Amino acid sequence: MAEFTMELNDEQKEVRDWLHGFAADVIRPAAAEWDEREETPWPVIQEAAKVGIYSLDFYAQQYFDATGLGIPMAMEELFWGDAGIALSIVGTGLAAVGVLANGTEEQIGTWIPQMYGDPNDVKVAAFCSSEPDAGSDVASMRTRAVYDEAKDEWVINGTKTWATNGGIANVHVVVAVVDPELGSKGHASFIIPPGTPGLAQGQKFKKHGIRASHTAEVVLDGVRVPGSCLLGGKEKLDERLARARERARTGGERVKNAAMATFEASRPAVGAMAVGTARAAYEVALDYAKTREQFGRPIIDNQGVAFQLADMRTSIDAARLLVWRASWMAVNGRPFTAAEGSMSKLFASETAKKVTAQAIQILGGNGYTREYPVERMHRDAAIYTIFEGTSEVQRLVIARTLSGMPIR
């Protein structure tokens, strides 16, 4: 087990500097254009693939970093560049984590490479869990998967929403209900291979922020997939459902569902994304405050501005430490006995919203225009308190974990 440390080792620093250079030289110059276009920045993703950032190997190296700091360090640097483009680059990772968390070794080896493609033929993947009437309330999920034993196929029907890369993905990972009586414990995850009949893109959303990232509905109408596309396999599913039924009957220990396993693994990474956006806005505001003069002196000479910057930096550093702690705990198998994963996501996402708003205030009228990036950063930051569990849901998870009570 790696000791917890607040210092990156030499190899991690080298990777961080490499990512920072890519974010500064490739992502940032393209950010305003793709935000305005509201389209997937395929040229930037391809460039990331060419240098090795958008690849299974890179994310595997960071994911299996024994210190747990590989993924949060990478997320912070890429999202420091631009949240919309960075999400287009890393969005496939959520589907990949879904397969890693629930799939067999064969499924991992078969499907994750197809999610990324190669530098000459870049692909993306989508993780589809939320529905029009089931976001945080996963127990209300309506997408159904029914097993056709005669053909060893699963038949899936339903509509997913808020899916990053939904409809344009080469591989979709879809969470569906297989046993409605078990509520959220009766869910399973399925691979939908490329070109499967019955899967179609629904509405593409025009968003407030992260506009370079494709977000859409995914409609599944009589989609049939082989039994081998059930993540983990049917034997494992049957065993899990049997345990859930027994626990429901006896009031025993609760069982985690497939979607929650994915979200628990990814929440500190989302916190790291928020830290990157907050840090970017803070740095713009700091530079501006040191060079912008009013009444014959830089505005940072005023306590009203200087104290804001001090609070911004303090909150960013505190958020990063929470993210690093949760990431280290996760990779070293330490249980989140105080919901440390949710804590990191909650604090970092709220920090990003607050810091980007403060950055606009420091820049004044300039901050409100698209001539400066803090306006875009503020729009982007709004998503962190919403996706992969709202701030309210994170507080609920933390409160339930601390108290052991079914707080509603």
Side-chain angles (χ1 to χ4, degrees), residues 273-292:
M273 299 173 189
V275 171
T277 299
R279 187 183 115 213
Y282 158 77
E283 289 176 0
V284 172
L286 177 63
D287 289 344
Y288 186 89
K290 290 162 67 175
T291 57
R292 171 69 168 172

Side-chain angles (χ1 to χ4, degrees), residues 42 46 49 54 113-124 170:
W42 291 108
Q46 186 171 35
Y54 186 76
Q114 295 187 48
M115 294 179 174
Y116 289 94
D118 60 61
N120 296 317
D121 186 20
V122 170
K123 306 292 185 183
V124 295
N170 191 53

Side-chain angles (χ1 to χ4, degrees), residues 126-132 141-146 154-163 166-167 171-177 188-193 195-203 216-225 229:
F127 183 76
C128 307
S129 177
S130 294
E131 298 183 2
M141 190 177 292
R142 295 181 180 178
T143 297
R144 293 289 304 276
V146 178
W154 289 88
V155 184
I156 307 174
N157 288 281
T159 299
K160 295 296 182 179
T161 193
W162 310 122
V171 177
H172 291 76
V173 177
V174 174
V175 181
V177 179
S189 295
F190 298 85
I191 292 285
I192 313 297
T196 299
L199 184 146
Q201 179 183 310
Q203 174 189 7
E217 291 182 333
V218 174
V219 180
L220 303 112
D221 183 9
V223 169
R224 284 182 169 268
V225 297
C229 287

